[in-house]
Amino acid sequence: MKGLPRLRDLNPLRTFDNGRFSYQRLPNPSPTESQQYQSHAATKSQRWRNPLVRLSFTKLITLAITSIIILAFLGGRGYHQVRKQKGEDKPVDSPSLFYWQYYWRLDGYYNGVRTLVSPAQYEPENRFNRTIPPTHIGNPEMAKFSPEPPLDPVRYDPYPDWKSAEYLKDHEQMHPCYLDAEEKVSPPDTYAYPGVPQHMAQPLYGSYKELGIEENVCFERFGRLGPYGYGYNESEGGLGIVNRSENAGSEKVSRQSGYTDYTSMDWGSAQKRCYDKNKARFDVQQTGRKKRVERHAYVMRTWTGYEYNEYQMLSLRAMITELSLKSGGEYDVHFLVHVKNNSIPIWASPRIYQETLQNNVPREFWNISTLWSEQQMETYYLEPFPDNFANMAGSSIHGVYRSAHFPLQWFSQQHPHYDFVWNWEMDMRNTGHYWEFHSRVSDWAQNQPRKGLWERSARFWIPEHHGSYANFTNLVERETCDRDIAANDLAQNGPVPLWGPYQDFPHSGMLAPPNDTIPPTSYEADSYTWGVGEHADLIVFNPLFDPARTNWVFSWDVTGYNRSLPIPPRRAAIITVARLSKRLLGIMHEETWRMKHSMFPEMWPAALSMHHGLKAVYAPHPVYFDRDWEAGHADEVFNHPEEVWESPFGWGEHNLLGSSFYYNSGFSGALWRRWLGQRENGEGGRREEEGRSGRMCLRGTLLHPVKSENGPED
């Protein structure tokens, strides 16, 4: 007999069998049905649409118990129940729709390279759900397109002109790097089309222009992955897989790029040679007027037993080439490999260490891999870790699920020469250029003023609704002064606005914040100047929200702070991918081993940035949705939920199923597989691409999660 569920399961919405619910591109209902969803706000009955309506007896009992607990927590305010949409006449077995699934579906993503147009001709598909449906290309128009792309692919080079007088005036010379020790094989280039498919959608939130990323180009699989082994056979040093794909015009890429033989590739040696040639650029003792270039460790979080498929290999090669070798060693890519079997003594025997590594990592990545285990962390961060407020995961403090930051802190201590560490996940994909994305995000964050930064970073910026980022900044400032300050609970949430370090809450001991985090003026006296030019200590890719304003399940997983006192005010960002400074990682390490403090991984870096006055930034990268959301309604749903449980960082997370970037997104993986040329939910694949507009071509887009890359093909 099954026991009662753990606290982590006490979300009434999770009692439905979501394990059997997978993301689908469902057809739109009739225009009559969809009209009621084109208002700025959903009705109470529309706020949650349960994917499965049939419950077992056990789950009904669980739901009843959970509802009682929720009622107790909410002081009798109650929980708005799952309701069926009025007027629906669906079979009992059929899934109900979320209200956002009644928005018009966007299909412009799937328009292929035959529909490429210049920026002047481009017209986006989405109308942000105003009065007319999205613009589609019909079959008669499709038949008129040329059988090959109307534009030619071009070499994509987002790097500065390393040899220019302008660059050399401020920087040491960048010496080019090579794949081989003999310096005969240069790192390959990436290719893009100088246009976008007609009617490709615009992102709902975030912006290319604001971050300085090129938005008038698109990447298809041959130009993006071809230089790294896609499209030519193993006998030529590639990975093959071209015969599965529509490929009209792809020879224009291969004629320019040629074929690179990766058979004997050793990325660790290549990265070390690259750094050694360019040491002068990173010298901390550098004198004179030359600017020192910061060094970055780009850490991929992998584990024993992980399967590296062909597409993963292509992405990893692109990552190392573009971040490290083409930049003259600004980045080193590392694999931080979690040895899941604690009985393997990797710390005791070099032979066992090497055996374990070689059995679990492809040969070309051996020399960039570092092993770690949870048992190793137990000896590094010694018990006890007392006073946990709520262990919702029901697992050990040293387990990777609750303390993924432990090995990252340890890694930074072992590699103090890196100024920044990027924590990256194996299920991330980027259709665009790695160096362009990361360097532009870093530069943008460095230029952000501190004033209002926490408040801006807590919100999604929706350009169609908020206008420019400058206008958004002014809007957030007005909202903060006119509404947020009055509604704030200082003891629970901390001050609004946040200005400098905040430790003025009851606690039994904390490390002092760094001296340079004390604001030079009052908040009111600052004219958006403090922080401009300051490197960000933390860059995240979803908003830095206040867990106390949500019902996020891990909000109370706070350890080492006196439980006889109120839980500390804190911040969090969903998905652990982030850039962390050496300073932040050092404070995290000290707070962990010295003070025995820790929090859930998505909360720990943000909370310490708040407490110690570090510069934390949410970078508004472009995020797409599979539906044509009304922009004003999106602002209400994502930025101004009426109830705690409606937050997108809690039970309102279903609103992000159709996004290209969130922890539970379904659209991200579906879009990536279609871009690879695979069939998804009965659509796409080679025959459809050949019969319609060709293979997909997307702007540079960060996708998460991508759990599978081997969909059905035809």
Side-chain angles (χ1 to χ4, degrees), residues 74-138:
L74 299 178
R77 286 187 298 168
Y79 167 68
H80 65 290
Q81 297 181 16
V82 176
R83 297 179 176 91
K84 294 200 69 177
Q85 175 63 36
K86 291 181 180 179
E88 284 184 350
D89 184 18
K90 297 179 180 295
V92 175
D93 291 355
S94 71
S96 300
L97 299 182
F98 297 111
Y99 74 85
W100 48 264
Q101 287 178 300
Y102 284 89
Y103 284 136
W104 293 101
R105 192 175 73 187
L106 296 171
D107 285 329
Y109 302 109
Y110 312 109
N111 292 343
V113 291
R114 294 171 59 199
T115 71
L116 289 170
V117 294
S118 69
Q121 299 170 298
Y122 166 67
E123 181 184 359
E125 176 186 18
N126 37 349
R127 300 288 190 241
F128 298 97
N129 200 39
R130 290 180 175 164
T131 58
I132 55 176
T135 304
H136 296 296
I137 298 177

Side-chain angles (χ1 to χ4, degrees), residues 109-393:
Y109 302 109
Y110 312 109
N111 292 343
V113 291
R114 294 171 59 199
T115 71
L116 289 170
V117 294
S118 69
Q121 299 170 298
Y122 166 67
E123 181 184 359
E125 176 186 18
N126 37 349
R127 300 288 190 241
F128 298 97
N129 200 39
R130 290 180 175 164
T131 58
I132 55 176
T135 304
H136 296 296
I137 298 177
N139 289 330
E141 296 174 86
M142 202 75 71
K144 298 176 184 177
F145 292 128
S146 164
E148 292 207 353
L151 303 174
D152 288 336
V154 296
R155 176 175 168 265
Y156 193 69
D157 184 4
Y159 302 98
D161 183 352
W162 307 112
K163 297 179 181 179
S164 69
E166 181 182 3
Y167 182 83
L168 293 173
K169 179 180 68 175
D170 297 324
H171 301 86
E172 294 289 345
Q173 181 181 356
M174 194 283 274
H175 298 280
C177 301
Y178 296 84
L179 299 185
D180 62 323
E182 294 75 27
E183 298 193 349
K184 294 180 179 179
V185 184
S186 296
D189 294 314
T190 297
Y191 292 82
Y193 280 96
V196 294
Q198 185 61 289
H199 304 318
M200 181 180 171
Q202 292 280 21
L204 178 61
Y205 49 79
S207 166
Y208 293 94
K209 185 177 180 180
E210 175 64 24
L211 295 179
I213 299 172
E214 179 58 57
E215 65 179 333
N216 294 318
V217 300
C218 70
F219 300 85
E220 48 76 57
R221 51 187 178 260
F222 285 94
R224 185 72 192 90
L225 302 178
Y228 306 107
Y230 179 84
Y232 55 100
N233 296 323
E234 292 183 9
S235 60
E236 299 168 298
L239 293 175
I241 61 181
V242 66
N243 59 332
R244 312 172 191 173
S245 171
E246 184 277 335
N247 57 16
S250 64
E251 71 283 352
K252 294 179 180 178
V253 170
S254 58
R255 278 202 298 264
Q256 296 180 74
S257 66
Y259 295 154
T260 300
D261 187 350
Y262 292 96
T263 305
S264 302
M265 191 62 216
D266 179 350
W267 294 106
S269 297
Q271 286 191 146
K272 186 178 186 306
R273 290 193 300 268
C274 189
Y275 168 72
D276 288 343
K277 289 180 70 174
N278 288 280
K279 275 183 180 179
R281 301 176 68 211
F282 315 112
D283 188 356
V284 294
Q285 305 299 326
Q286 198 171 119
T287 58
R289 293 183 299 173
K290 301 284 187 177
K291 295 179 182 177
R292 175 180 174 268
V293 177
E294 289 77 21
R295 284 273 281 160
H296 303 250
Y298 198 79
V299 177
M300 300 301 298
R301 304 299 299 272
T302 184
W303 55 91
T304 52
Y306 184 84
E307 294 184 12
Y308 297 80
N309 64 50
E310 297 157 324
Y311 298 109
Q312 176 91 76
M313 297 288 287
L314 295 167
S315 293
L316 292 169
R317 290 172 178 176
M319 180 187 297
I320 302 170
T321 300
E322 293 160 17
L323 286 174
S324 180
L325 303 187
K326 300 281 278 188
S327 75
E330 290 180 19
Y331 293 75
D332 278 341
V333 176
H334 290 264
F335 286 15
L336 196 53
V337 186
H338 175 201
V339 178
K340 299 172 78 172
N341 185 347
N342 274 328
S343 68
I344 300 176
I346 55 173
W347 62 90
S349 165
R351 179 186 61 80
I352 292 176
Y353 183 101
Q354 202 61 27
E355 246 177 40
T356 305
L357 190 156
Q358 293 181 4
N359 288 337
N360 288 279
V361 177
R363 186 183 190 93
E364 60 192 85
F365 306 125
W366 283 356
N367 287 331
I368 63 172
S369 298
T370 302
L371 305 184
W372 72 277
S373 69
E374 292 175 8
Q375 189 172 49
Q376 180 187 5
M377 292 301 106
E378 290 175 10
T379 63
Y380 194 69
Y381 293 119
L382 297 173
E383 292 278 9
F385 281 89
D387 289 330
N388 174 261
F389 280 82
N391 179 1
M392 305 300 279

Side-chain angles (χ1 to χ4, degrees), residues 641-683:
E642 291 183 14
E643 306 287 355
V644 167
W645 55 76
E646 292 178 335
S647 167
F649 311 117
W651 297 346
E653 64 191 19
H654 67 88
N655 290 291
L656 290 150
L657 278 170
S659 74
S660 59
F661 188 87
Y662 200 59
Y663 95 91
N664 68 338
S665 168
F667 182 50
S668 53
L671 191 65
W672 175 256
R673 288 185 290 274
R674 285 289 301 269
W675 184 80
L676 290 176
Q678 299 170 6
R679 286 185 65 76
E680 184 76 16
N681 294 316
E683 297 180 344

Side-chain angles (χ1 to χ4, degrees), residues 387 389 489-495 502-511 558-570 595 597 599 610-611:
D387 289 330
F389 280 82
D489 182 334
L490 180 64
Q492 178 176 266
N493 311 116
Y502 180 64
Q503 298 188 0
D504 191 18
F505 55 86
H507 61 80
S508 55
M510 294 180 67
L511 298 177
V558 174
T559 299
Y561 297 84
N562 192 333
R563 279 193 306 178
S564 67
L565 302 173
I567 190 169
R570 56 219 179 276
M595 307 304 296
H597 291 164
M599 298 184 192
M610 175 188 182
H611 297 163

Side-chain angles (χ1 to χ4, degrees), residues 594-708:
R594 191 184 299 276
M595 307 304 296
K596 301 298 182 180
H597 291 164
S598 188
M599 298 184 192
F600 199 73
E602 288 158 308
M603 198 157 42
W604 185 231
L608 286 193
S609 295
M610 175 188 182
H611 297 163
H612 290 269
L614 305 186
K615 187 177 183 181
V617 183
Y618 157 47
H621 64 105
V623 174
Y624 293 90
F625 278 70
D626 71 337
R627 302 279 164 157
D628 195 6
W629 279 71
E630 194 279 323
H633 183 208
D635 179 55
E636 293 178 2
V637 168
F638 296 121
N639 292 327
H640 305 292
E642 291 183 14
E643 306 287 355
V644 167
W645 55 76
E646 292 178 335
S647 167
F649 311 117
W651 297 346
E653 64 191 19
H654 67 88
N655 290 291
L656 290 150
L657 278 170
S659 74
S660 59
F661 188 87
Y662 200 59
Y663 95 91
N664 68 338
S665 168
F667 182 50
S668 53
L671 191 65
W672 175 256
R673 288 185 290 274
R674 285 289 301 269
W675 184 80
L676 290 176
Q678 299 170 6
R679 286 185 65 76
E680 184 76 16
N681 294 316
E683 297 180 344
R686 180 172 185 169
R687 277 181 287 185
E688 184 169 314
E689 289 182 345
E690 290 176 342
R692 290 182 61 78
S693 59
R695 61 193 174 277
M696 288 169 57
C697 197
L698 296 175
R699 296 185 183 99
T701 308
L702 198 62
L703 299 169
H704 180 277
V706 176
K707 298 297 186 184
S708 169

Side-chain angles (χ1 to χ4, degrees), residues 32-52:
T32 304
E33 286 179 292
S34 65
Q35 277 298 315
Q36 59 194 301
Y37 293 93
Q38 294 178 9
S39 62
H40 281 242
T43 65
K44 286 283 185 181
S45 63
Q46 294 165 349
R47 286 193 181 129
W48 170 260
R49 302 300 305 143
N50 169 40
L52 294 172

